[in-house]
Amino acid sequence: MFQFKLVLLGDSSVGKSSIVYRFVKNSFDEFRESTIGAAFLSQTIKVKESDDGEETVIKFEIWDTAGQERYKSLAPMYYRNANAALVVYDVTQQDSLVKAQSWVNELKNKVGDDDLVICLVGNKVDLCDEDAEDNKRAVGTEEARSYANEQNLLFYEVSAKTGLNVQQIFQSIGEKLFET
Ligand code: GDP
Ligand code: MG
């Protein structure tokens, strides 16, 4: 079995822990307590090994970090030796994208993107409805996508609440890691 270390980074309250819980336990909690320090979880997925459809199991060892400033100095402990990073922002908070971009810069400076698969993740798309009066979207899909393309990152918009695209993040990271 292949094992990969994955770290989640991003501003507090963007939904990092919720994404991990959706992926690992397929559940969602409106009143999740904020993470202290970091939490560790693991989950396996299957990826296609070759065109003949053979499948391989890979295991993610997931480090879910706390976003608060006072824990920032701990982050390198988690992203050092990581194979993949989810850099998460909240599509309803423009500031959180700015924070995500600073994490991407830090990862590229400290780890280098030869050794690390980085995925930019915009969470809480369930709060967006382009036709509704109370549409809460603050970060456009194309704005984030073009930044991600420019930086050579994988990119997904997801909802930990509904589960939309959460599995796909890990599936595409798994496939990319397995390729290399
Ligand atoms: P973290 O600090 O980044 O780990 O964020 P949490 O996972 O603790 O989530 C922060 C808050 O956002 C909680 O109240 C969650 O219930 C809420 N939340 C997380 N993901 C979503 C989502 O996809 N949609 C909505 N509407 N709320 C979410
Ligand atoms: Mg958390």
Side-chain angles (χ1 to χ4, degrees), residues 164-176:
L164 180 78
N165 279 345
V166 171
Q167 185 73 28
Q168 281 84 334
I169 303 171
F170 294 89
Q171 204 67 40
S172 69
I173 289 175
E175 280 161 19
K176 183 117 185 215

Side-chain angles (χ1 to χ4, degrees), residues 33 59 62 69 76 78-79 83-84 90 93 101 135 137 144-145 167:
E33 286 176 28
K59 180 178 184 183
I62 302 168
E69 209 53 47
Y78 300 106
Y79 64 63
N83 303 105
D90 174 346
Q93 303 289 337
Q101 290 169 328
N135 180 17
R137 184 184 283 277
R145 190 196 306 282
Q167 185 73 28

Side-chain angles (χ1 to χ4, degrees), residues 12-13 15-18 32-36 64-68:
S12 59
S13 299
K16 298 178 295 299
S17 300
S18 299
R32 167 162 312 290
E33 286 176 28
S34 63
T35 313
I36 296 170
D64 172 23
T65 66
Q68 293 94 326

